[in-house]
Amino acid sequence: GIPPELIIEAHGAFGSSSCINCKKEIDADRVRDEIKSGDVPVYCDDESCGGLVKPDIVFFHEGLPDAFFDNRNKDLKGADLLIILGTSLSVSPFNELINYVTKTTPRLLMNLEVVGTVPSKFAKNGLRLGRTDNSRDYMIQGACDDGVRALCDLIGNNWRNDLENLVKTLKSKTKSTKKSINVSKAFPDMKPAYMDYDWRKKKDY
């Protein structure tokens, strides 16, 4: 797959965890196991802190990671091709990214429907799909998985076989679980922006 250092997960992921007070990085496997086992909330292992620990995921109304803003201009200006997969292109700042590539960089949309063609105050130019002046925007309409496979077939050089083998390998390593996580128990101090509720007063955890 893609090396982790080349991926910017704008909404975070369970791959790392941190204390929300002292910002110390906490072993992600420990946090994941404790949450799944119901041993929550998870606290910082620094005795002088004792703050709550959560996976480095972005909750509603939390800011996106600095890496997203620090790298978007540099990375996209140097892109040879922009691939846009499975999106409505209606939410800022993500819909702005299509304008960060150069004016000659090809842009390929893989999606169930055409999106991003209407300019907005964020995506000023929009995709030019279906326009007579379109010189660089393309679309593979359908499911993203099918689009990626079709692109691999076009590239050739065993890309399709490599992709299918990689998918099989990753699926075999993934441990599926149907046990849901009670967010209110795992993160009692996290007050959702849409609810005026103090989880610290909750008594059932």
Side-chain angles (χ1 to χ4, degrees):
I2 301 174
E5 62 271 17
L6 298 181
I7 300 175
I8 296 177
E9 295 176 292
H11 282 129
F14 270 82
S16 60
S17 298
S18 305
C19 172
I20 64 174
N21 288 347
C22 69
K23 311 304 180 184
K24 177 183 178 181
E25 184 173 344
I26 307 298
D27 182 70
D29 290 334
R30 170 207 154 195
V31 175
R32 187 183 302 109
D33 291 343
E34 291 188 19
I35 291 176
K36 287 183 177 180
S37 67
D39 186 13
V40 292
V42 181
Y43 292 103
C44 182
D45 53 18
D46 186 336
E47 295 182 358
S48 64
C49 175
L52 283 173
V53 172
K54 77 174 185 69
D56 292 332
I57 52 177
V58 178
F59 284 164
F60 187 62
H61 269 213
E62 287 187 325
L64 297 179
D66 291 339
F68 176 84
F69 300 101
D70 293 342
N71 292 281
R72 60 181 176 177
N73 187 63
K74 176 187 66 177
D75 288 347
L76 292 175
K77 286 297 183 185
D80 296 317
L81 168 68
L82 177 66
I83 301 178
I84 310 158
L85 299 98
T87 175
S88 65
L89 278 182
S90 60
V91 178
S92 177
F94 303 103
N95 59 356
E96 301 173 38
L97 297 178
I98 63 172
N99 292 323
Y100 277 80
V101 295
T102 68
K103 293 182 179 180
T104 58
T105 301
R107 301 183 295 188
L108 172 62
L109 173 67
M110 296 185 189
N111 218 40
L112 290 175
E113 56 188 17
V114 178
V115 296
T117 56
V118 179
S120 69
K121 64 178 180 179
F122 299 111
K124 296 179 181 179
N125 297 320
L127 298 174
R128 308 188 79 76
L129 295 166
R131 297 178 54 126
T132 57
D133 61 350
N134 178 26
S135 61
R136 61 162 175 160
D137 293 336
Y138 307 89
M139 181 177 185
I140 298 178
Q141 189 162 6
C144 290
D145 288 355
D146 295 337
V148 171
R149 288 186 171 94
L151 182 60
C152 287
D153 288 338
L154 288 171
I155 295 173
N157 295 323
N158 290 320
W159 274 54
R160 176 67 179 271
N161 289 335
D162 291 344
L163 173 67
E164 300 296 354
N165 290 334
L166 180 61
V167 170
K168 288 179 182 179
T169 301
L170 292 175
K171 281 185 176 180
S172 66
K173 290 182 178 180
T174 302
K175 296 180 180 178
S176 61
T177 175
K178 295 183 178 181
K179 186 175 182 180
S180 61
I181 296 174
N182 187 323
V183 176
S184 65
K185 289 184 176 181
F187 314 115
D189 276 358
M190 292 285 118
K191 187 162 74 170
Y194 53 87
M195 292 179 64
D196 186 20
Y197 193 99
D198 190 347
W199 296 110
R200 289 169 292 189
K201 296 179 181 178
K202 197 169 176 62
K203 300 298 184 181
D204 62 348
Y205 62 87

